[in-house]
């Protein structure tokens, strides 16, 4: 059975020859060659990210310079070939190239080529880690995809409130950052208003690195005030998100409950999904299709 | 079509001549000249705040002293002219001058004049950032204004509980601050009880700068205790706010659901969705269409 | 009108002479002499706490040694007289002395006398701040008292779950504290398992002073693990408390809603408090007494 | 009366002789010898953990080396004997040895034996603290066990969402860790991408040790961004957990409310409180008394 277009990232195969066959292998996640392709790809991504980690560690870098260099180019060429293949087997290559996954696939190979001109840019190869997010789809974790849909839905509904919240926080950050610059001054590390703002972000979010700290009594009083305000408003995003998530849950349950289970006699429609009879008047419920 | 008085900050134009025309330009946010005015104003505010940031950074300050000085005075004179114009075109200037926005507008220009007498006070110009909060109104983000109303409503309802919570926290802060002053003493940085209280605020709110830390075993035990208490009660404001916000949401939805179920006799419109009769006067409710 | 016994701290006046009059002045919070007494008392508490703060600050202590010494003894003698008076005017002095407020009142005067034998113990005088909690009662903030009842009720209901949570956290703290002692060792500041436990408390609660930090790669991996666990379970007390608080709110509203508003015909009992008629069958509701 | 199998850890006594008697003493938690055994065991566990703490503290270790050595071996031999006894009195020793409690019991004695070969490994003896979790069962805190069931149920239901959340957080950690390695570089302590990732975990979870901090302006901007993102998403696990916990509470209450409304025909007992008819078979429900 064919999978829905959504799982194929909204793409179609180009023609019916070898390209259609490779399209199936690359873009589908069924058993057989397609599954083997996925396993090899995920393994290669993990290995290539690990190589980037290792290469960034000085002790490993100096001992295995050559090996890491070869591995890095090996993975990059492999992923480049894969990227070219993906472009070739889809009907509209541009649609793939401009999709989120296409852009991530491209970003995963570019840094190695850039490193020919800009040494050190191969650290950007860690964006390859984003490719691993495909795992949720490859493993057919539809329950995960559905639940992440709930989380995303609640975040989306909260977006305006969180923007309002962030603009209040940023206003606080500007004002307290400037106040600390005036109070503590460059002598105590607050060398500019932007530095003070960095400190205010670190403080109001309760991170508190301690690289910049108030020393004067007035600075400490202002800091305590900022912390207490931050402590009070840390509740706000949690409150927003929890309330929206609870609403999403409720509606989802409600939708499940009411899928075609309206009582034909008394029109009551709040029946649990497993109900066969209306619990108000006892009428047998006519289910309109399966759940 | 004229906007509601609320959006005009409760102000009316003075007369019908050029003042009424300028009132429309300054206080309304329609298309045309009024919109252009808003855009220029917001741009000027952004630019002026940026100048204050730049001026506070030593490296930039020494290189562009003159330019920054000119820009600062330029923006201040511009905003002063705008403030004067606002005062002139409203019917009751005092109502504007004593409104929240009027005070912010005044505070945005005063520091530059003060800096003639008190050098360095121009850092206070960052209060100009408060003027940007007008953006929500200018962009006609009525959805944002409405949702921030929900957030504010929930905060307002939580005010007593949060005050109780804060007085408990402050009591903890005084007692633990004094205890640490006694236990650790000036030798470990706890030079006075207020210093200990500053440390207790930083600790109980999980900021933890690390500028003051317990060194003695007893001090570390007391600190662990304070942290565990703080960890336990950090839940309280979130719990309060979430519960209140959920209640606000529920009531709002309830009101929306029943907008169509107004009692035909007494006009009461807050009925639960399953109501068949008005619960105030007993009249049978005419449902205007299905939900 | 006499206030309820609860507001009088469950105490009764001793006899009917001057002692009953002074009982009224000290323990009641009405207008007249009783109110004046309260105001003077609160002012004296604030002033005396301020004196303790000032005395602990070295710079102030050396300049005003004598004045602060006199003030400290002055306030102590004043509060001692007040404590003696309280004991004299209540019917059962022991009931007062062993009540929470009686103990706090005693603790507020003892440190000064102790300081005759143990220098430095006058810092403990800050427990006087606890006396200020009486403010809620003095100001007749009954709404506050009622709402703090809600907060306390939810905390009380959560007590078992929070204890379970704390025992899980403490188990984590012991295990990770010992692990870090083994991994990092005394060379990096983890001088003993209790020190490691102190570090684990500071870390898992996201305080993060930074006085002890992992240096070895393995130590950093273990730390990241502990932080991610802590980040995950910080949700638990908030979840517990929010769910319980929401339940308390709901029951409180429910109790208000149902106070005697059961429909006499169809027995529906979920009417809003302002309902006069049942919204299911239209029957007039018989209210059983006022709300 | 015999306790349920669950409380006996799913184990049965081996035979009916002295082994059955000792099985009762060791695995049951009734009054009499069984209770005495429990008390002695818990005391021994507490004491042995305390000895491990003391031994790890240098000052105590050097003064009481011999005593601590004897105590450590004494407790280990005692627990070894107990472990052997447990194995002997259960019908299927392997079932016990491979159960969670059996593994913990074994881990509690192994480190001392290991320390013969690997000095220092006796710090691992702190795993003995896990044995204390038995306290909840020993004290017959069935309410606690039931409530921890609620907490666990909510955690179990949240598992997929929390995994999704953690994979998003880890992706952020990899990307920001690599970005900071590129921006700040080894000169400011970010010696490798894994080090950057450790820093990102410490920062996004608002721990903020301060052992690694951004110094460059760009690094501080990126840090502020990471903190604001972390501040925004810290709400997510709390939201998830609170919503699930509220659902568990609701269902539990629902089940309790309807305990009396079992359908007389099909024995279904999960009816909403307002139900008059069984929603599975349509039978009229006989309500056993009022709610």
């Amino acid at each position: 059975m064919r999978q829905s277009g959504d799982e194929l990232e909204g793409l179609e195969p180009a023609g019916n020859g070898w390209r259609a066959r490779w399209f199936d292998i690359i873009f589908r996640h069924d058993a057989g060659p397609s599954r083997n392709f996925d396993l090899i790809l995920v393994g290669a991504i993990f290995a290539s990210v690990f190589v980037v980690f290792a290469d960034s560690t000085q002790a490993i870098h100096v001992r295995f310079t050559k090996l890491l260099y070869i591995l890095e180019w090996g993975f990059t060429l492999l992923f480049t070939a894969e990227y070219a293949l993906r472009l070739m087997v889809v009907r509209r290559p541009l649609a793939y190239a401009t999709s989120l996954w296409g852009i991530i696939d491209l970003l995963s190979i570019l840094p190695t080529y850039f490193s020919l001109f800009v040494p050190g840019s191969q650290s950007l190869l860690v964006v390859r880690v984003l490719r691993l997010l495909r795992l949720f789809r490859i493993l057919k974790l539809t329950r995960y995809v559905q639940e992440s849909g709930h989380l995303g839905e609640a975040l989306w509904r909260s977006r305006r409130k969180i923007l309002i919240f962030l603009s209040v926080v940023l206003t606080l950050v500007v004002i307290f950052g400037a106040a600390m610059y005036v109070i503590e001054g460059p002598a105590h590390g607050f060398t500019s208003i932007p530095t003070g703002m960095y400190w205010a972000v670190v403080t109001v979010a309760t991170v508190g690195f301690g690289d910049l700290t108030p020393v004067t009594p007035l600075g400490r009083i202002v800091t305590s005030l900022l912390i207490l305000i931050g402590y009070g408003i840390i509740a706000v995003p949690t409150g927003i998100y929890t309330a929206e998530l609870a609403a999403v849950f409720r509606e989802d349950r409600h939708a499940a409950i009411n899928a075609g289970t309206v009582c034909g006699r008394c029109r009551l429609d709040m029946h649990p999904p497993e109900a066969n009879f209306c619990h108000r008047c006892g009428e047998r419920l006519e289910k309109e299709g399966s759940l």
Side-chain angles (χ1 to χ4, degrees), chain A residues 47-266:
Chain A
S48 72
V49 169
F50 191 79
V51 166
V52 179
F53 285 0
D55 195 39
S56 79
T57 312
Q58 200 58 19
I60 301 174
H61 177 73
V62 294
R63 267 190 68 184
F64 303 101
T65 314
K66 207 147 203 177
L67 175 67
L68 291 168
Y69 186 81
I70 291 166
L71 282 173
E72 211 159 278
W73 274 101
F75 283 120
T76 301
L77 294 176
L78 187 75
F79 293 153
T80 308
E82 181 218 343
Y83 183 68
L85 196 60
R86 281 180 189 263
L87 282 177
M88 283 161 70
V89 302
V90 296
R91 192 190 300 260
R92 286 173 304 160
L94 206 68
Y96 162 68
T98 57
S99 72
L100 181 64
W101 293 114
I103 291 166
I104 290 174
D105 290 350
L106 184 62
L107 287 176
S108 299
I109 51 178
L110 282 187
T112 318
Y113 298 109
F114 280 163
S115 71
L116 292 177
F117 313 104
V118 188
S121 60
Q122 60 264 50
S123 293
L124 302 174
L125 285 170
V126 290
V127 296
R128 282 175 182 165
V129 86
L130 287 176
R131 299 193 74 191
L132 288 177
L133 292 180
R134 261 186 180 140
L135 264 176
F136 284 109
R137 178 171 295 157
I138 289 173
L139 299 176
K140 294 208 187 158
L141 303 170
T142 39
R143 283 289 297 169
Y144 283 81
V145 172
Q146 186 190 332
E147 302 217 354
S148 78
H150 283 180
L151 300 183
E153 167 82 11
L155 265 184
W156 179 246
R157 287 197 195 182
S158 318
R159 71 192 181 286
R160 281 201 212 86
K161 294 194 199 69
I162 284 177
L163 260 173
I164 295 168
F165 172 73
L166 276 183
S167 56
V168 171
V169 167
L170 283 178
T171 308
L172 278 175
V173 159
V174 172
I175 289 173
F176 275 87
M180 289 302 279
Y181 166 72
V182 174
I183 295 168
E184 295 282 337
H188 300 147
F190 293 81
T191 51
S192 67
I193 292 178
T195 302
M197 285 162 62
Y198 155 75
W199 171 86
V201 168
V202 168
T203 301
V204 85
T206 77
V207 174
F209 283 130
D211 49 349
L212 298 169
T213 48
V215 177
T216 61
L218 182 57
R220 288 182 166 176
I221 291 168
V222 170
T223 302
S224 301
L225 196 69
L226 177 62
I227 289 173
L228 288 177
I229 293 174
Y231 198 45
I233 64 177
I234 205 173
V236 174
T238 307
I240 293 167
Y241 191 73
T242 306
E244 292 290 2
L245 196 61
V248 170
F249 279 15
R250 204 159 36 224
E251 286 168 26
D252 191 63
R253 203 168 45 235
H254 202 248
I257 284 171
N258 294 310
T261 33
V262 180
C263 172
R265 196 199 298 171
C266 75

